[in-house]
């Protein structure tokens, strides 16, 4: 079998590790309405007779707070509604045919709670602002077609996003009317792609790839939409650059199918590294998976991520992590990506600046960014957006969505570390409250249970309870102080055993794991704004007076981290200016604040 390689696509397909040839993008202009009085449900706005209620237009998938949406209203609007009609052309584009009669309506992400109707009939609901969801709408479409509305079949979405709900995982979205400090404008409603897709009666729904570098195999765990029929078989074919590597065919029983694909080439101990994935060599294997009439294309990377003896290990070799904090926020589109090309350019910019990694901060990023991280070669730390209070509701919501995201992103080789909590957000009293300690520890255990193949950090920055990497946040402005603070094992031991730079304990439970590497995972934050990019309330952890002063300050901090014989890596704050937080290496429109060659040399540790 020969299929087009998923990674040769341009990144427009919303789910890059499970690609079908035919699909219909529902992005573009939708009808839109605010429902500040929350009367839409009582008045049945989901029905055809309420179409006149939708008095605005919005460009999906951009949130209404953003200029790209065509609305740009940043006020408090807890409930919003969307409406779009689909016609025969939309359905034909999905590839509906006898072998693929089921039609699935997909949403990449809707913040925060969504209800969906098709043809006036309820399709389903979902809670979670960053996780994907879908509905089989086959019968709803058939019923709507029987209704015979010549204008098409309406899809209606009600989205609820209460800015005052502190138990809702929200990350950097501000609860104040105007952004303050390190928080930004809110993102309400649809902010990732919406699309239709036709599938067979029994379809491939999710693929998890787990490479075994030592054994020279790849394990596949595949979830089906429903149990396969008796006698059904599932086939997997792996290749690299058009060259077959391994195939396997196994019986498909139940909804979960497991298979192991041997890779004979990897038995050569002197040549097995030729196929391994890394930022320097982002080699990806193409995968064709077939079950009956359903064929999907996927990809994977042969790589391992672990820690040992105070070092981060990539493919079982010590690897120094040069990371940057990435908010994933654009002035024109906010949390939504401006385009697939914008996501590609973001990943390329990070590499051009000399970084080999990025920490996706307080956001579940669009999977297309992970696609570009996979293809261009960029390590990623996946992080959960935080709730701002500790309640059973906050715990339930965070755990449910975190579980969904680990499931969604499991197979991306770029992701090498999981970060379920950051700086004690949502667990502000973890040093004193055993309940919060148990919660943080349980998130680590849950993550390891779902994915034992990656390191996990319990609480990035400080107040760790059970972390594979001892991460420290330190916004000291002086390079000399940073050099002294991290210049020896003895200095770092004193810091870890005492109170950290932010006045927080580094450990709140258990002894320090001697195997855990120490990394400075937030530092820098130097603000600089030139006249062309002046911002009201410009803010940073320290400030520079000119481009030269900025480069010297940043350079001194980066040189201090590189000089440490103990640190196993770093994460500089931050990539781009975001709103009033003007401490980026580049402006909000991604223009470097110093010559890019100079920034790159500093990041690489080559600056003199």
């Amino acid at each position: 079998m020969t299929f087009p390689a998923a990674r040769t696509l341009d990144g427009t397909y919303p789910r890059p590790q499970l690609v079908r040839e035919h699909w219909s993008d529902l992005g573009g202009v939708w009808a839109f309405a605010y429902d500040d009085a929350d009367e839409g449900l009582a008045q049945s706005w989901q029905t055809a007779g309420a179409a006149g209620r939708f008095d605005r237009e919005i460009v999906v998938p951009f949130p209404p707070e953003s200029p790209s949406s065509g609305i740009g209203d940043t006020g408090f609007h807890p409930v919003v509604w969307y409406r779009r009609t689909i016609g025969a052309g939309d359905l034909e584009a999905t590839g509906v045919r006898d072998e693929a009669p089921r039609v699935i309506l997909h949403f990449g992400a809707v913040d925060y709670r969504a209800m969906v109707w098709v043809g006036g009939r309820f399709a389903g609901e979902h809670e979670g602002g960053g996780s994907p969801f879908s509905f089989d709408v086959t019968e709803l479409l058939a019923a709507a077609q029987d209704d015979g509305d010549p204008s098409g079949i309406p899809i209606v979405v009600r989205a609820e996003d209460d800015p005052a709900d502190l138990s809702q995982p929200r990350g950097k979205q501000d609860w104040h009317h105007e952004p303050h400090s390190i928080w930004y404008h809110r993102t309400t409603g649809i902010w990732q792609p919406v699309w239709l897709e036709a599938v067979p009666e029994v379809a491939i729904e999710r693929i998890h790839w787990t490479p075994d570098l030592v054994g020279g195999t790849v394990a596949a765990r595949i979830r089906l939409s429903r149990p396969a029929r008796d006698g059904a078989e599932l086939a997997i074919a792996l290749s690299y650059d058009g060259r077959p590597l391994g195939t396997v065919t196994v019986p498909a029983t139940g909804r979960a199918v497991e298979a192991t694909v041997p890779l004979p080439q990897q038995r050569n101990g002197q040549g097995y590294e030729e196929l391994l994935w890394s930022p320097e060599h982002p080699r990806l294997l193409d995968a064709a998976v077939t079950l009956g009439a359903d064929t999907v294309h996927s990809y994977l990377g042969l790589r391992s991520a672990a820690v040992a003896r105070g070092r981060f290990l990539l493919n079982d070799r010590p690897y120094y992590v040069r990371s940057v904090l990435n908010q994933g926020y654009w002035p024109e589109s906010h949390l939504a990506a401006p385009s697939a090309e914008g996501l590609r350019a973001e990943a390329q910019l990070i590499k051009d600046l000399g970084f080999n990694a990025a920490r996706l901060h307080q956001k579940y990023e669009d999977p297309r960014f992970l696609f570009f991280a996979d293809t261009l070669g960029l390590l990623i730390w996946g992080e959960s957006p935080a709730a701002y209070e500790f309640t059973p509701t906050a715990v339930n919501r965070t755990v449910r969505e975190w579980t969904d995201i680990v499931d969604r992103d499991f197979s991306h080789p770029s992701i090498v570390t999981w970060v379920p909590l950051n700086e004690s957000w949502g667990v502000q009293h973890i040093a004193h409250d055993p309940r919060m300690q148990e919660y943080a520890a349980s998130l680590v255990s849950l993550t390891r249970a779902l994915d034992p193949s990656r390191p996990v950090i319990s609480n990035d920055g400080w107040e760790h309870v059970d972390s594979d990497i001892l991460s420290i946040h330190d916004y000291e402005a002086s390079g000399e102080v940073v050099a002294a603070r991290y210049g020896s094992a003895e200095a770092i031991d004193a810091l870890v055993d005492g109170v950290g730079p932010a006045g927080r304990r580094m450990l709140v439970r258990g002894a320090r794991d001697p195997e855990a590497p120490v990394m400075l995972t937030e530092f820098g934050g130097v603000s600089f704004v030139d006249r062309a990019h002046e911002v009201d309330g410009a803010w940073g952890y320290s400030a520079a007076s000119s481009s030269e002063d900025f480069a010297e300050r940043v350079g001194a901090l980066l040189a201090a981290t590189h000089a440490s014989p103990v640190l196993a890596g770093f994460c500089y704050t931050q990539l781009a200016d975001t709103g009033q937080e003007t401490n980026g290496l580049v402006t909000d429109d991604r223009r470097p604040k110093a010559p890019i060659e100079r920034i790159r040399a500093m990041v690489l540790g080559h600056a003199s």
Side-chain angles (χ1 to χ4, degrees), residues 144-161:
Q145 288 171 331
D146 290 342
D147 293 341
D149 188 340
S151 64
I153 300 170
I155 296 176
V156 175
V157 179
R158 176 188 183 271
E160 181 179 346
D161 187 16

Side-chain angles (χ1 to χ4, degrees), residues 95-270:
V96 175
R97 56 196 187 280
D98 291 344
E99 315 92 82
R102 312 300 302 182
V103 179
I104 311 299
L105 173 61
H106 296 281
F107 292 85
V110 178
D111 201 349
Y112 172 72
R113 185 179 295 106
M115 302 176 70
V116 180
W117 294 264
V118 175
R121 297 167 176 85
F122 188 57
E125 58 188 326
H126 175 266
E127 183 179 282
S131 52
F133 59 99
S134 58
F135 305 113
D136 186 329
V137 296
T138 310
E139 279 74 27
L140 300 182
L141 292 172
Q145 288 171 331
D146 290 342
D147 293 341
D149 188 340
S151 64
I153 300 170
I155 296 176
V156 175
V157 179
R158 176 188 183 271
E160 181 179 346
D161 187 16
D162 184 357
D165 186 351
L166 300 181
S167 67
Q168 175 181 307
R170 63 194 312 119
K172 299 295 286 285
Q173 299 184 57
D174 210 323
W175 62 99
H176 289 182
H177 192 276
E178 294 297 328
H180 78 292
S181 186
I182 60 171
W183 287 276
Y184 317 134
H185 280 305
R186 291 160 298 283
T187 287
T188 298
I190 299 171
W191 67 280
Q192 287 189 26
V194 184
W195 74 103
L196 286 171
E197 182 176 54
V199 302
E201 292 289 346
V202 181
I204 297 164
E205 207 170 58
R206 179 78 77 204
I207 305 174
H208 283 182
W209 301 108
T210 304
D212 179 354
L213 303 192
V214 175
T217 63
V218 173
R221 188 167 70 250
I222 297 168
R223 188 166 67 236
L224 307 179
S225 60
R226 63 186 66 187
R229 296 183 178 90
D230 291 343
E233 292 184 327
L234 183 140
I236 301 173
L238 301 183
S239 62
Y240 176 69
D241 198 23
R243 174 166 51 89
L245 294 177
T247 62
V248 68
T249 300
V250 297
T253 58
R255 286 194 61 187
V257 181
E258 296 186 359
T260 299
V261 186
L263 302 176
Q265 175 177 325
Q266 297 306 93
R267 296 173 186 164
N268 183 340
Q270 300 305 312

Side-chain angles (χ1 to χ4, degrees), residues 451-526:
D451 177 14
S453 70
R454 295 172 170 96
V456 185
I457 296 174
S458 65
N459 185 22
D460 199 70
W462 51 65
E463 296 175 337
H464 294 266
V465 297
D466 180 12
S467 291
D468 295 317
I469 298 171
L470 187 60
S471 57
I472 303 171
H473 294 182
D474 186 347
Y475 284 107
E476 169 58 48
S478 166
E480 292 182 358
V481 173
V482 171
R485 192 173 283 166
Y486 302 95
S488 67
E490 293 76 17
I492 291 179
D493 288 345
L495 183 151
V496 171
D497 293 338
V499 176
R504 303 265 194 155
R505 306 174 198 177
M506 293 309 304
L507 301 173
V508 297
R509 194 163 89 172
R512 176 182 173 185
D513 181 355
E515 295 287 305
V518 179
M519 293 190 189
L520 191 56
T521 55
E522 281 191 33
F523 75 109
V526 180

Side-chain angles (χ1 to χ4, degrees), residues 1-9 16-19 207 209 218 220 235-248 261-263 275-277 282-290 295-302 371 374-375 411 413:
M1 297 179 293
T2 302
F3 303 100
R7 59 190 178 89
T8 63
L9 300 178
Q17 282 195 309
L18 205 162
V19 177
I207 305 174
W209 301 108
V218 173
I236 301 173
L238 301 183
S239 62
Y240 176 69
D241 198 23
R243 174 166 51 89
L245 294 177
T247 62
V248 68
V261 186
L263 302 176
L275 284 181
L276 299 190
W277 184 96
R283 307 178 184 99
L284 295 171
L285 309 190
D286 297 314
V289 183
T290 300
T295 294
V296 299
H297 206 87
S298 186
Y299 68 87
L300 62 129
L302 298 180
F371 168 83
D374 294 336
T375 56
S411 296

Side-chain angles (χ1 to χ4, degrees), residues 304-308 311-314 416 453-455:
S304 64
V307 299
R311 294 296 175 216
F312 175 79
L313 304 181
L314 183 68
V416 294
S453 70
R454 295 172 170 96

